[in-house]
Amino acid sequence: MHVMHDVGAPAAETIAFDDWLKVDVRIGTVTAADPFPEARKPAYKLTIDFGPAIGTKRSSVQITEHYTPGDLIGRQVAAVVNFPPRQIGPFISEVLTLGFPDAAGKVVLIGPSEPVPNGGRLF
């Protein structure tokens, strides 16, 4: 997870709507959450089910301050699913799980306020 802590920064430069459409953010349900002791910063390895069209993908997430593996199983999370896979130590992170920084810069995951079908695209 790329963490940007710049809470006080102004909005990013203006982009065209077509640029936004290139970013494919989908909802998925966490089916497995495992410790990732090889990571440089404390992290978990998540397995996320994005439904039949996208399938199951894996993600490395630095969210150990607010979540335990048990908290994550069954939780719906939002992730960018169309970035290239990223090698993180011995692990391939296939999607970028999304969150916001809390007041201390620690990641708080985002997800829907009501259950939604896995694979739904953010709009």
Side-chain angles (χ1 to χ4, degrees):
M1 174 177 281
H2 302 289
V3 180
M4 302 186 95
H5 299 259
D6 208 356
V7 177
E13 68 181 84
T14 300
I15 62 170
F17 189 71
D18 285 348
D19 291 331
W20 163 248
L21 294 177
K22 293 175 187 175
V23 181
D24 193 353
V25 178
R26 302 288 181 120
I27 196 73
T29 299
V30 176
T31 59
D34 301 298
F36 189 5
E38 304 90 347
R40 279 194 299 261
K41 295 182 180 177
Y44 297 131
K45 297 182 283 190
L46 300 184
T47 303
I48 306 167
D49 178 3
F50 290 99
I54 294 173
T56 299
K57 301 289 182 183
R58 300 191 75 200
S59 183
S60 171
V61 292
Q62 295 172 10
I63 57 173
T64 58
E65 294 86 359
H66 289 299
Y67 306 95
T68 66
D71 295 333
L72 296 165
I73 305 296
R75 182 186 185 100
Q76 287 196 297
V77 296
V80 177
V81 299
N82 65 332
F83 284 146
R86 190 163 172 250
Q87 180 96 32
I88 300 173
F91 184 76
I92 301 291
S93 191
E94 301 172 291
V95 299
L96 176 65
T97 304
L98 300 174
F100 288 105
D102 68 8
K106 307 302 182 191
V107 177
V108 176
L109 293 171
I110 59 169
S113 57
E114 302 289 332
V116 296
N118 288 335
R121 186 169 181 176
L122 180 70
F123 57 83

